[in-house]
């Protein structure tokens, strides 16, 4: 058997200088010419190689943004149709043992926190189901003693009659723990590396188990190996140079796609938002909308079938425009505090939502763009539960 | 023209259509009507099959069209069988378009799991229309376990590349005792016509109609292409040849006898 020991994502990123050798990639980016960009645009749309992506995210590609956007739109329509999937997050807890400087749930923040009992979570879920959601994302901070594997499996089994798809965005688990979630009907996991730059990672993750970069990096392997159908990865934009983050994120995604070939990759690109005791102006790598757009389009032109997700961190006008350019899934009417759907006033939020339109308003906006809002694109019958 | 016969049903139309990727359910409904189709496939993952008010299902007139549920998204035989049974329990429909596609990107069908699921479903009384790669041996094996058709792909689904598998499709058509429905990858009416010209019994089209700028017009174009291709097949198209055949260099001397 061929040894795959050296093919871990840790080694792949390190050997390519993608976990922090800013100088190397900065030089290469600066050397990209318009001819390189044109060559990248002439390649088969939707296929990945790192040099192509490098060209598409380069400063030289900025003058091709309109052409790239049109290619991205047409490729997305071909692969996903004139549709837009909708999901909603359900926050379970804001108690956290980590200290991440960009997050409202930072354990250092002296503020009121909340965690939902299973029956409280079900009450929130019922509201989401009434809005028409069929795809729910369970979100929790690292509150391991309360949001346990047993809590999540029990909740998932109770939610299953209400939703066709249940996924989680929670703290890192072992492969065995992820398997238990999968067997309870949870079919997707989203877990962001936040930043692929080791120095920046160390700077922003001060304590708690999340402070271990390599452990974090290994997690998508763990949940993909556990059988999860949807593998969500992403970077929090604002912590390090977006271009280098995009290169590392794409390389990670490509690695996961080839290794866990039965699962679908989704990419997210949240921009840092103000939160309780978090001033976004303190972050030097915040990116403008033009760069965010270039990132989204470049990823689409390298990954024809990846799900590209946009949350309510982005304001309404930007979301209205970006959903035409390659995005395939968006959240709507989100509350980022546990219990927020029943009572928005209670407890702190993970971040301030930037698009406060209701799910019905979002669905209507999607229709006016000539697309069908899709609430259901999965079936609970796929996942066999114990 | 003679009818298309699948299992115990007869159809005038040889154009099956899919329901995904449309900009709205109204447009989908108009396109189906324009295509003149009688068999309409829906992904069970996309609809709430137990809910009579499901918006997509409400736009498909069950008196007019045979609703053909498909198992798109199923990763293995178990999932496909489970999904099929739930759909039958909810609707009474025993027809199923069997799709077992473990890879979520190209959605290529798994031959081993498809055969396994087909055998189980046939034994459970389903009318099974399996989506397969253009593999002649697999087509025969599926026929042997009792599927109602075989549905080989022309090229990867949604790719609009046309008949990339033509050589294998010709063998399948030549050998089949069940209707051959060419499915997936037909991007233009001319592709559909080509499939019909080589003797396919029917074709299934979705993406090319759904994402056209004018889906209804495109549906009409496919309808006509399928009819033209079928007519050409029945009319006995002249064989193509690379050489000119005007003279008989080897047997010309016999004329002198």
């Amino acid at each position: 058997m061929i040894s795959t020991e050296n093919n871990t994502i840790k080694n792949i990123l390190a050997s390519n200088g993608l976990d922090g050798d800013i100088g190397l990639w900065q030089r290469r980016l600066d050397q990209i010419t318009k001819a390189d960009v044109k060559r990248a645009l002439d390649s088969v749309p939707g296929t990945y190689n790192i040099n192509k992506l490098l060209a598409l995210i380069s400063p030289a590609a900025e003058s091709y943004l309109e052409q790239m956007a049109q290619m991205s739109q047409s490729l997305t329509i071909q692969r996903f149709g004139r549709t837009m999937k909708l999901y909603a997050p359900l926050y379970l807890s804001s108690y956290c043992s980590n200290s991440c400087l960009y997050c409202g749930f930072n354990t250092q923040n002296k503020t009121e926190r909340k965690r939902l009992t299973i029956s409280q979570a079900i009450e929130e879920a019922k509201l989401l189901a009434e809005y028409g959601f069929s795809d729910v994302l369970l979100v929790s901070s690292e509150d391991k003693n309360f949001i346990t594997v047993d809590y999540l499996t029990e909740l998932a089994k109770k939610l299953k009659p209400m939703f066709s798809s249940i996924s989680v965005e929670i703290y890192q688990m072992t492969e065995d723990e992820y398997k238990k979630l999968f067997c309870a009907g949870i079919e997707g996991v989203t877990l962001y590396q936040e930043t692929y730059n080791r120095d920046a990672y160390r700077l922003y993750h001060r304590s708690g188990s999340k402070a271990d970069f390599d452990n974090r990096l290994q997690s998508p392997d763990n949940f993909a190996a556990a059988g999860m159908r949807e593998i969500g990865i992403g970077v929090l934009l604002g912590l390090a140079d977006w271009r280098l983050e995009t290169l590392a994120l794409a390389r990670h995604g490509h690695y996961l796609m080839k290794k866990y070939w039965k699962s679908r990759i989704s990419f997210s690109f949240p921009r840092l938002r103000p939160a309780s005791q978090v001033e976004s102006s303190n972050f030097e790598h915040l990116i403008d909308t033009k760069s965010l757009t270039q990132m989204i389009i470049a990823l689409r032109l390298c990954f024809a079938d990846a799900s590209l997700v946009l949350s309510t961190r982005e304001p309404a006008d930007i979301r209205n425009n970006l959903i035409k350019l390659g995005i395939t899934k968006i959240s709507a009417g989100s509350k980022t505090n546990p219990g927020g759907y029943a009572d928005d006033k209670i407890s702190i939020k993970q971040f301030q939502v930037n698009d406060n339109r209701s799910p019905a308003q979002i669905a209507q906006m999607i229709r006016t763009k000539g697309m069908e809002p899709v609430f259901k694109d999965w079936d609970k019958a796929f996942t066999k539960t114990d | 023209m003679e009818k298309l016969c699948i299992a115990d049903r007869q159809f005038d139309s040889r154009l099956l259509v899919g329901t995904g990727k449309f900009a709205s359910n109204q447009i989908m409904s108009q396109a189906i009507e324009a295509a003149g189709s009688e068999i309409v496939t829906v992904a069970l993952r996309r609809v709430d099959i137990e809910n009579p008010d499901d918006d997509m299902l409400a736009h498909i007139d069950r008196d007019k069209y045979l609703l053909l549920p498909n198992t798109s998204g199923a990763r293995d035989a178990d999932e496909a069988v489970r999904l099929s049974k739930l759909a039958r329990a909810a609707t009474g429909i025993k027809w199923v378009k069997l799709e077992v596609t473990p890879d979520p990107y190209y959605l290529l069908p798994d031959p081993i799991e498809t055969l396994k699921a087909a055998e189980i479903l046939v034994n459970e009384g389903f009318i099974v229309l399996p989506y397969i790669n253009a593999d002649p041996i697999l087509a025969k094996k599926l026929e042997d376990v009792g599927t109602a058709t075989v549905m080989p792909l022309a090229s990867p689904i949604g790719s609009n590349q046309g008949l990339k598998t033509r050589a294998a499709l010709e063998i399948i058509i030549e050998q089949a005792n069940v209707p051959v429905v060419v499915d997936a990858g037909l991007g233009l009416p001319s592709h559909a016509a080509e499939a019909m010209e080589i003797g396919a019994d029917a074709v299934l089209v979705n993406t090319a109609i759904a994402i056209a700028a004018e889906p209804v017009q495109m549906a009409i174009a496919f309808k006509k292409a399928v009819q033209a291709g079928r007519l050409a097949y029945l009319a006995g198209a002249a064989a193509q040849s690379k050489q000119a055949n005007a003279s008989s260099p080897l047997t010309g001397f016999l004329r002198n006898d």
Side-chain angles (χ1 to χ4, degrees):
Chain A
M1 229 171 105
I2 298 167
S3 166
T4 54
E5 203 173 294
N6 293 324
N7 295 335
T8 60
I9 185 60
K10 177 184 171 182
N11 290 338
I12 291 169
L13 293 183
S15 64
N16 288 289
L18 285 168
D19 58 356
D21 193 348
I22 298 170
L24 165 79
W25 289 100
Q26 201 61 58
R27 277 193 300 283
R28 295 192 59 187
L29 273 166
D30 291 341
Q31 287 163 0
I32 297 285
T33 63
K34 289 192 169 183
D36 294 325
V37 179
K38 279 187 190 159
R39 201 174 307 118
L41 292 176
D42 284 343
S43 71
V44 180
T47 55
Y48 166 84
N49 75 60
I50 197 160
N51 291 324
K52 172 180 173 180
L53 181 62
L54 188 73
L56 295 177
I57 59 169
S58 69
E62 285 173 14
S63 49
Y64 293 88
L65 214 51
E66 177 60 30
Q67 185 187 342
M68 284 166 60
Q70 290 182 17
M71 291 172 71
S72 173
Q73 179 186 52
S74 121
L75 181 60
T76 308
I77 290 173
Q78 192 200 336
R79 304 305 301 166
F80 291 84
R82 299 183 192 278
T83 63
M84 184 61 52
K85 292 187 207 175
L86 288 161
Y87 76 100
L90 199 175
Y91 278 72
L92 302 173
S93 173
S94 52
Y95 285 84
C96 194
S97 56
N98 290 314
S99 177
C100 309
L101 299 189
Y102 47 78
C103 181
F105 297 164
N106 183 343
T107 188
Q108 304 291 337
N109 288 359
K110 301 291 174 238
T111 183
E112 191 193 342
R113 292 170 192 270
K114 186 166 174 68
R115 44 168 73 114
L116 303 184
T117 63
I118 287 177
S119 55
Q120 286 171 325
I122 290 167
E123 288 309 307
E124 287 277 282
K126 281 181 186 164
L127 293 171
L128 294 177
E130 277 172 31
Y131 289 135
F133 287 108
S134 182
D135 181 344
V136 66
L137 174 68
L138 305 176
V139 185
S140 176
S141 51
E142 187 147 351
D143 184 10
K144 273 186 172 169
N145 293 327
F146 187 78
I147 308 296
T148 59
V149 171
D150 287 345
Y151 174 107
L152 290 163
T153 52
E154 189 183 335
L155 178 59
K157 284 175 188 170
K158 290 184 170 158
L159 294 183
K160 218 182 161 193
M162 279 187 263
F163 297 93
S164 64
S165 171
I166 305 169
S167 48
V168 294
E169 184 176 338
I170 50 167
Y171 56 88
Q172 295 148 235
M173 289 183 169
T174 63
E175 187 180 325
D176 282 346
E177 289 171 325
Y178 283 126
K179 272 185 188 152
K180 286 180 186 158
L181 300 191
F182 187 71
C183 290
I186 291 170
E187 47 97 14
V189 177
T190 293
L191 189 131
Y192 303 152
Q193 186 61 27
E194 316 292 7
T195 174
Y196 286 90
N197 182 302
R198 284 179 182 273
D199 293 336
Y201 194 92
R202 204 174 302 119
L203 182 66
Y204 291 111
H205 302 92
R206 293 300 177 87
S207 65
S209 64
K210 192 174 168 181
D212 185 335
F213 180 96
D214 290 316
N215 187 22
R216 186 85 178 167
L217 192 60
Q218 182 58 34
S219 282
D221 279 272
N222 293 344
F223 57 77
M228 292 292 170
R229 323 279 299 234
E230 295 279 336
I231 301 178
I233 59 174
V235 286
L236 181 60
L237 295 166
L239 306 184
D241 182 276
W242 73 269
R243 292 190 159 97
L244 305 184
E245 298 280 43
T246 307
L247 290 174
L249 176 68
R251 188 66 192 83
H252 194 185
H254 189 246
Y255 157 84
L256 291 168
M257 276 172 69
K258 290 188 90 165
K259 186 163 181 186
Y260 306 100
W261 61 277
K262 293 182 181 177
S263 302
R264 187 187 286 275
I265 290 287
S266 75
F267 291 115
S268 301
F269 8 75
R271 285 198 282 186
L272 209 142
R273 289 281 301 147
S276 169
Q277 296 167 49
V278 178
E279 282 294 328
S280 56
S281 56
N282 292 342
F283 296 85
E284 61 171 313
H285 290 288
L286 292 175
I287 75 169
D288 61 16
T289 303
K290 185 179 175 186
S291 299
L292 176 65
T293 306
Q294 188 176 358
M295 177 182 182
I296 292 170
I297 292 170
L299 284 172
R300 170 59 70 221
L301 292 178
C302 286
F303 298 95
D305 295 290
S307 178
L308 300 185
V309 185
L310 198 65
S311 78
T312 55
R313 285 172 181 264
E314 296 299 332
D317 57 332
I318 292 177
R319 297 219 308 162
N320 292 357
N321 283 295
L322 286 179
I323 62 164
K324 295 182 288 188
L325 302 185
I327 299 296
T328 54
K329 187 171 176 178
I330 63 173
S331 51
S334 304
K335 303 295 180 193
T336 66
N337 48 337
Y341 292 104
D343 180 1
D344 188 32
K345 299 287 183 292
I346 52 169
S347 78
I348 51 161
K349 300 179 168 70
Q350 189 194 22
F351 60 88
Q352 288 174 19
V353 166
N354 220 341
D355 180 350
N356 288 303
R357 289 173 293 180
S358 69
Q361 286 171 319
I362 295 283
Q364 187 50 36
M365 179 274 290
I366 292 169
R367 285 189 197 99
T368 63
K369 303 281 179 197
M371 287 186 270
E372 174 80 8
V374 171
F375 285 93
K376 180 177 184 294
D377 191 36
W378 198 243
D379 201 280
K380 50 181 176 266
F382 282 115
T383 32
K384 182 178 170 187
T385 47
D386 307 335
Chain B
M1 231 183 305
E2 97 291 21
K3 290 177 186 286
L4 169 68
C5 188
I6 301 177
D8 54 352
R9 293 271 297 258
Q10 293 196 323
F11 306 92
D12 290 313
S13 167
R14 291 173 181 272
L15 173 58
L16 288 68
V17 289
T19 50
K21 296 187 175 178
F22 282 92
S24 73
N25 289 329
Q26 288 81 354
I27 294 174
M28 173 200 78
S29 174
Q30 291 161 12
I32 295 172
E33 169 97 46
S37 295
E38 293 166 279
I39 305 177
V40 176
T41 186
V42 295
L44 289 166
R45 61 190 286 180
R46 273 284 272 117
V47 297
D48 187 357
I49 199 82
E50 294 168 15
N51 177 5
D53 296 328
D54 180 274
D55 194 55
M56 183 182 266
L57 292 176
H59 281 83
I60 303 167
D61 183 351
R62 291 269 305 274
D63 293 333
K64 225 162 136 184
Y65 309 109
L66 171 68
L67 189 66
L68 177 62
N70 71 61
T71 61
S72 148
R75 218 154 47 163
D76 54 35
D78 275 357
E79 291 182 2
V81 168
R82 195 158 62 235
L83 213 55
S84 305
K85 285 183 180 173
L86 282 169
R88 182 170 68 176
T91 63
I93 302 172
K94 58 180 183 174
W95 291 60
V96 64
K97 177 168 184 253
L98 177 61
E99 298 183 26
V100 185
T101 53
D103 130 56
Y105 303 108
Y106 287 96
L107 297 171
L108 292 169
D110 181 332
I112 298 161
E113 295 293 312
T114 302
L115 182 60
K116 198 168 136 192
E119 191 160 13
I120 296 169
L121 290 170
V122 168
N123 288 336
E124 300 252 358
F126 281 88
I127 295 169
V128 181
L129 291 75
Y131 171 55
I132 57 169
N133 213 316
D135 178 342
I137 301 299
L138 178 63
K140 290 308 285 183
K141 286 192 163 187
L142 284 161
E143 189 183 300
D144 287 347
V145 303
T147 63
T149 63
V150 287
M151 302 186 71
L153 57 85
S155 50
I157 193 164
S159 72
N160 293 344
Q161 291 179 47
L163 269 64
K164 296 292 184 205
T165 57
R166 177 169 169 147
L169 288 174
E170 286 174 331
I171 297 172
I172 293 174
I173 290 166
E174 180 194 339
Q175 297 184 332
N177 289 314
V178 293
V180 177
V181 183
V182 174
D183 183 7
L186 302 176
L188 291 167
S190 55
H191 298 154
E194 184 184 353
M196 298 306 294
E197 285 165 13
I198 65 172
D201 295 278
V203 297
L204 190 146
V205 179
N206 185 356
T207 300
I209 294 175
I211 71 170
E214 299 288 344
V216 171
Q217 296 301 310
M218 191 57 88
I220 295 169
F222 268 98
K223 174 186 176 179
K224 292 183 172 179
V226 168
Q227 289 170 344
R230 182 66 185 172
L231 267 176
Y233 171 72
L234 294 175
Q240 287 184 10
S241 167
K242 287 200 168 114
Q243 291 108 16
N245 284 328
S247 62
S248 309
L250 300 182
T251 54
F253 71 98
L254 297 173
R255 288 192 205 123
N256 298 331
D257 274 5

